[in-house]
Amino acid sequence: MEEELKVNEFEQGADRETYHTNQNMQQAYGPEANFHYRANSADEILGDLNKLRNMILDHHQVQCPRLASLDNYMKARNDGIYNDDCRRMEREKADHRAAHNFAKIINLFDVGYNTGIPIKKASDNDRINELVREYDRQNDIEALDSELWRDFRKYGRAYELQYRNQNDEDCSVISNVFETFVCYGLDVERTPLFAVRYPKYRSAMEELTKVIVYTDTEIITYKPCSLSMMVLAEERRDAHYWGEVPVTEYSPDRYRQGGYEDVTSLIDLYDAAQSDTANYMTDFNEATLVISGDLDMRRYSVKEVIEMKRANLLLLANGVNPDGSKSQTDAKYVYKQYDVDGVEAYKERLQEDIHKISFVPDLTDEAFSGTQSGEAMKYKLFGFQQMSKSSQRGFKKGLMRRYRLLLNIKNYVSEADNVDLGDFTITFTPNLPKAVLEELKALADAGTQFSQETLLELASFVEDAKAEIERIQEEDKKIQETVVDQSMFGVDINGQSRILETQGAGTTKA
């Protein structure tokens, strides 16, 4: 029971980078570390500031340590190998600790595959398309979508805050998962009741927290206070007109599990195996010198024997041979035997398991070479594609809510024609290498014809196929005008100018 309580111990005001666990994160954090906050109504929590305070502290003390552990694995600060309790028993022995950020490999592949090519949004209403394009341009939505997906797959959750700035521009920003959460209703639709942001900042030598609550109609700001001694006192209320809570939570599924969360134990095992290998190689260079012969061990005190051991020196008295004679004096080095083949096979199996369970292919694998056909690569990515489809559905829900809120505010300020999303589609394009030349050749051999615009769109150095076609047409037009001019004034083979016969005039030769 005592160990379970220590899981939730937390140094108040400490940065997330200072969190540590005493065991693997899957064992350390139970369901409460990924709990969805729910209430019967917003007034039930906001009407009792003590309940709001307890909810904030619970998020900070119970949920944030899990998020911090996932963040550590992404940054190669793996909890398992850097745990202080993992120190080797013999202090004089090497204690190398190597962390491997498989988590970063998994996350980068996931982000690149799903958002490397910008997500496409389209409506059957031209006015909606215009509003969406302008909104995306102002907020650099391609970069925002990519960062949202990064958090979305790293922590199993990501948050987006929408607001209108002083220039009456509608904005979207990512909100830190360590200081943001949403409380949902008890209805089957899980309607967001309110969202909380509690950013921390340092004032002089004191760390303060500013709590901001977003409901479906207003923004409530509380006076800055210490997180460890939180006393909430309302500072101001401002109305907003987004029509709903302007904070959107993105989650891949109802479990909110990180993309590499279920392989952290395997990453810990791989770290331990590699670290043990490095420790062995270091200790091998310091092999123990054993001297055996006619030695009187009674001359040496226990302290002297310990000092000799630390100096990798071992003295042994004469032994007795089977014939009763004493063994000869001998000196040799001894060292721990190491099963190289067995250890390397063990590490290779761990690495394969990490990629297999996370569904992310090992791009360094010889079997995953660039000589394979596109169809063969699809089969290797089949498991990852199934997982991505599930995640994309969760991300689409968040994107649909983003643009629904956008139309709410646009309709309120009369910048839209009272339109709704209607038939609004969101399309993900996998960012994968394609054997375009082989595909084109096969289709051309089958008699398929392609327009110039389609062929230009396949060229990597052509950014806008339509613009390129317009430039070609403009050049053709200039060439035709030049041909007409040359029909009036030509050049003979000797380079001498002559005026050609024109319509309705006589011929004049120079």
Side-chain angles (χ1 to χ4, degrees), residues 91-135:
R91 291 283 174 180
E92 66 275 5
K93 297 297 183 180
D95 186 32
H96 300 300
R97 304 191 188 192
H100 300 79
N101 56 349
F102 285 100
K104 182 178 180 180
I105 294 173
I106 294 170
N107 189 262
L108 284 179
F109 187 91
D110 200 331
V111 173
Y113 177 88
N114 289 283
T115 65
I117 297 176
I119 303 170
K120 299 176 183 178
K121 303 110 180 178
S123 171
D124 55 354
N125 187 314
D126 292 338
R127 177 55 178 159
I128 293 177
N129 289 331
E130 181 183 348
L131 292 173
V132 168
R133 280 195 299 269
E134 180 63 18
Y135 185 77

Side-chain angles (χ1 to χ4, degrees), residues 67 70-71 107 111 145-159 174-178 250 252 257-259 395:
L67 301 175
L70 289 169
D71 187 59
N107 189 262
V111 173
D145 285 346
S146 182
E147 288 304 309
L148 281 170
W149 190 280
R150 191 180 308 281
D151 279 7
F152 168 82
R153 293 297 296 155
K154 184 201 295 190
Y155 305 111
R157 62 180 88 169
Y159 297 96
I174 193 169
S175 189
N176 195 335
V177 297
F178 290 91
Y250 294 76
Q257 188 178 39
F395 203 76

Side-chain angles (χ1 to χ4, degrees), residues 36-49 51-56 159 180-185 190-198 211-220 222 232 240 244-249 401:
H36 289 81
Y37 295 105
R38 305 186 73 177
N40 188 49
S41 67
D43 292 338
E44 178 187 355
I45 305 299
L46 302 182
D48 186 347
L49 294 182
K51 290 183 178 179
L52 177 60
R53 172 185 176 275
N54 290 338
M55 189 176 284
I56 294 172
Y159 297 96
T180 310
F181 64 88
V182 176
C183 181
Y184 297 92
R190 291 170 42 85
T191 304
L193 300 178
F194 62 89
V196 177
R197 286 183 62 245
Y198 58 102
V211 177
I212 306 165
V213 175
Y214 301 83
T215 71
D216 57 350
T217 59
E218 57 186 0
I219 303 172
I220 308 171
Y222 297 89
L232 294 175
H240 72 74
E244 301 177 45
V245 176
V247 175
T248 300
E249 178 177 342
R401 189 173 189 275

